[in-house]
Amino acid sequence: MNFDDVLAGVEGAEPISGMLEAWRWSPTPRFVFSLALDSKRNCAYQMNVIDHFDQGLVIAVLEFAKDRHLAEEVKDDTPFTVAPGFTTEFHGFDVVVAVPPAVHQYHFGRGNALGEQIIGVFPAYSCEFSGHETLEEAIHRFKRMIRPTVVERPVAPYLRMRYENTRTGSGSLGPSRGFTTTDVLLRELALLEGTVGSFVEWENFRGEVWHVTWDGSWLINGSVSEPLSETAVLSTLGCPESP
C-alpha cells in the first residue's frame, strides 16, 4: 500500500509538526486522528483523541510505538499488546498499548484498505490489562471501559467481580467473575455488613483474588479481619491514583 496516496484522499490531513512521516486530521470538531508510518513503511500507528489534543503526548506515544516496532509484537491471540517503559512529564501513564484492526476497527466501512494496515495505539496504565483477555473482552474494554481517546481519563483498572447480597437480593449471574468498575465494587462491599451468606469476590490484573464475607465478623479470604477501607480496597487493584 502507498500510504501517501491513501492519505491524499483523507480530507484535511496535514503533517504533524516535529515528526517525520506523520499526519493528523479532524473528521469532526471534537476528534483528532494522528497517524505515523512504521519505519518499515508496511503499516502505521494511529492514536485518536477527543476534546483535548495534547500534541506532545501524541508524538511521544507514536514515537514510542515506532521505536519499539510494536506492530511486530501484535498477535491475534493477544489483542492487547502492552509495552512497558513509557513515561510522560504531565501524565501518569506507564505503558503504551497496541491493538489490531479487529479491536480498534478504525476506518472500517469507509471504502478503503487503510484500516487493515493500522495498529491502534494509546497510553495507558499497566494495571488495566491482564494479558489474557479474549478478543471479545478486549473489544468490550477498549470501547466501553478504558476510553482510550480521553487523554485526561481516570484509571480503569482490570477488575473482575462476582457477588451476592441476601438482603438486597442482587448478585452476579453464574460462577464466573465479570468486568466491572471500582464504584460497583465499593458499593457492594459497603452493603455487605450484617448480611449473613453474602459475599463479594474480585480479581485484579495479576490474577490475585479477594473473597470477602460477613458472618458476625469480617472474613477476607477465610481469615477474620477488620473491614477494608476504601483506600485498602483500591490498593488491591494495583493502580496509581487517578490523575
Side-chain angles (χ1 to χ4, degrees):
M1 173 185 293
N2 187 318
F3 279 95
D4 295 325
D5 291 344
V6 173
L7 285 163
V10 176
E11 183 177 355
E14 59 183 18
I16 296 177
S17 175
M19 189 173 185
L20 297 176
E21 295 190 311
W23 299 264
R24 54 171 284 187
W25 66 96
S26 296
T28 70
R30 296 185 64 194
F31 278 99
V32 179
F33 296 173
S34 301
L35 180 146
L37 294 188
D38 186 74
S39 57
K40 295 182 179 180
R41 295 181 63 85
N42 59 357
C43 70
Y45 302 102
Q46 182 170 324
M47 177 175 168
N48 295 352
V49 299
I50 187 171
D51 292 332
H52 179 72
F53 179 74
D54 183 332
Q55 181 160 307
L57 176 63
V58 169
I59 290 177
V61 170
L62 294 176
E63 291 282 15
F64 185 90
K66 290 180 63 173
D67 291 344
R68 282 287 301 265
H69 300 289
L70 286 185
E72 298 177 5
E73 300 181 32
V74 174
K75 309 295 183 187
D76 291 339
D77 58 349
T78 54
F80 286 133
T81 297
V82 181
F86 179 75
T87 59
T88 62
E89 184 176 358
F90 301 110
H91 302 276
F93 301 120
D94 60 355
V95 296
V96 167
V97 179
V99 293
V103 174
H104 65 68
Q105 299 178 8
Y106 297 158
H107 309 283
F108 281 21
R110 297 185 179 275
N112 64 52
L114 185 59
E116 293 294 341
Q117 305 297 321
I118 297 296
I119 300 298
V121 292
F122 59 95
Y125 302 91
S126 54
C127 68
E128 297 176 317
F129 311 93
S130 73
H132 303 292
E133 294 87 350
T134 65
L135 177 60
E136 182 180 5
E137 290 170 344
I139 292 172
H140 173 74
R141 294 273 292 153
F142 181 81
K143 292 185 177 295
R144 298 185 179 276
M145 301 189 76
I146 296 174
R147 301 166 64 210
T149 60
V150 181
V151 171
E152 302 293 344
R153 69 182 179 85
V155 182
Y158 181 98
L159 168 58
R160 303 185 76 133
M161 169 181 147
R162 69 186 186 100
Y163 73 101
E164 183 175 343
N165 190 298
T166 58
R167 180 172 59 204
T168 65
S170 63
S172 50
L173 298 175
S176 299
R177 293 182 286 270
F179 286 111
T180 191
T181 55
T182 55
D183 60 327
V184 174
L185 172 61
L186 292 170
R187 182 192 70 208
E188 292 305 323
L189 284 170
L191 293 171
L192 197 58
E193 186 171 2
T195 56
V196 176
S198 302
F199 71 90
V200 177
E201 180 181 278
W202 71 96
E203 173 187 353
N204 70 8
F205 74 110
R206 298 188 184 98
E208 298 166 335
V209 177
W210 285 261
H211 186 92
V212 178
T213 60
W214 194 91
D215 189 14
S217 61
W218 290 97
L219 297 175
I220 300 178
N221 290 347
S223 300
V224 177
S225 173
E226 293 295 320
L228 289 173
S229 67
E230 179 175 329
T231 299
V233 172
L234 295 178
S235 72
T236 67
L237 304 178
C239 285
E241 294 183 4
S242 297

